[in-house]
Amino acid sequence: MSSSDNEGAGSAKYRGIRRRKWGKWVSEIRVPCSSERLWLGTYTTPEAAAIAHDIAYYCLRPKSSSSCLDKLNFPSMLPPNVQRGMSPRSVQNMASDSAMAIDAQFLTTARPGQQDQTVDNYGQNEALNVSVEDYLY
């Protein structure tokens, strides 16, 4: 997907994502050496969709691809356990799980001055704290 595909009213300039008419962000990627597209998911934030694309892009590229990190939206946010040579299904699961964690993190910090609270089984309030590692380990 070219950067011109993401230009327009209300859209972010991240690789591999697009915005649906109703406001959700989606990500998909073409599997190298194949005409197959790998669906990475639908997310609330463009950053989460971009993270999903980054993980899939990194994992699906050959190990000899040295310029791979140059084409990522957020190269410093790759989880430590991503590896190349994974099956497309494994890549899809890892990308989706990581992006959902990022989505949750952005949604809980999106409202300045407010702290999102969740109520546990005993009626006690506790702060919601989610990271990529929570989903991957």
Side-chain angles (χ1 to χ4, degrees):
M1 179 176 281
S2 69
S3 61
S4 63
D5 292 341
N6 288 333
E7 293 174 2
S11 65
K13 295 180 182 176
Y14 296 125
R15 289 179 184 260
I17 70 168
R18 67 181 185 276
R19 189 173 191 181
R20 297 275 193 198
K21 292 177 192 176
W22 50 89
K24 297 285 186 176
W25 295 88
V26 299
S27 182
E28 66 181 332
I29 192 168
R30 190 176 300 275
V31 177
C33 303
S34 164
S35 61
E36 177 186 357
R37 288 185 174 265
L38 188 62
W39 180 253
L40 301 174
T42 303
Y43 306 99
T44 305
T45 62
E47 292 83 4
I51 290 289
H53 181 266
D54 284 356
I55 291 171
Y57 184 86
Y58 181 82
C59 292
L60 293 171
R61 295 296 173 256
K63 292 180 182 180
S64 61
S65 179
S66 61
S67 66
C68 181
L69 293 177
D70 298 339
K71 301 205 177 192
L72 299 179
N73 298 301
F74 303 105
S76 64
M77 292 190 68
L78 283 175
N81 63 334
V82 296
Q83 51 188 316
R84 294 180 175 170
M86 297 168 61
S87 72
R89 182 73 173 152
S90 296
V91 169
Q92 186 179 38
N93 288 336
M94 178 175 282
S96 177
D97 289 349
S98 298
M100 288 188 325
I102 295 298
D103 224 2
Q105 191 171 22
F106 270 94
L107 291 175
T108 59
T109 59
R111 298 181 198 117
Q114 288 184 340
Q115 182 180 5
D116 284 346
Q117 299 281 318
T118 183
V119 178
D120 66 15
N121 292 338
Y122 303 105
Q124 302 294 318
N125 288 337
E126 62 180 46
L128 182 61
N129 186 11
V130 180
S131 70
V132 172
E133 288 79 22
D134 292 338
Y135 281 95
L136 298 178
Y137 296 115

